[in-house]
Amino acid sequence: LPEEGSDELHRLFRLYVKELDGNADLLLIKTGPGAAHMVGAAIDLLQDPSVVGTLAGDDTLLVMPRTRQARKELEQRFRGMTT
């Protein structure tokens, strides 16, 4: 991930992300009210080739990784940003 964008994403995760969940293919990120679009936009702006895209509601964000391996790596990375 680009360093500058990654720093902003880390900040947003610390402030707004409440929970990470998902299945074998997709990641689900729960945020505070109204924050899912900010986190999703920050992920999209990174233009990470391992992410197909994101879909955000009010407090729920769906991240679509390109592969199952990418999903595992993204979850690890995202979990590290919540601390």
Side-chain angles (χ1 to χ4, degrees), residues 25-80:
D25 297 309
L26 303 170
L27 284 171
L28 184 77
I29 299 173
K30 297 291 285 179
T31 70
H37 70 282
M38 288 186 291
V39 176
I43 292 170
D44 291 341
L45 284 172
L46 293 175
Q47 298 181 337
D48 184 334
S50 70
V51 176
V52 174
T54 61
L55 180 65
D58 182 60
D59 64 354
T60 305
L61 173 66
L62 187 62
V63 180
M64 292 157 272
R66 199 158 296 282
T67 65
R68 286 186 172 178
Q69 182 60 38
R71 184 242 178 265
K72 292 176 188 174
E73 292 168 3
L74 287 166
E75 182 177 9
Q76 269 188 328
R77 206 177 314 165
F78 292 164
R79 286 195 186 280

Side-chain angles (χ1 to χ4, degrees), residues 1-17 35 37-46 78 81-82:
L1 295 173
E3 178 113 9
E4 182 178 311
S6 184
D7 288 346
E8 176 63 11
L9 185 60
H10 192 137
R11 185 184 74 77
L12 290 172
F13 263 73
R14 281 193 326 269
L15 288 172
Y16 299 115
V17 172
H37 70 282
M38 288 186 291
V39 176
I43 292 170
D44 291 341
L45 284 172
L46 293 175
F78 292 164
M81 291 183 187
T82 59

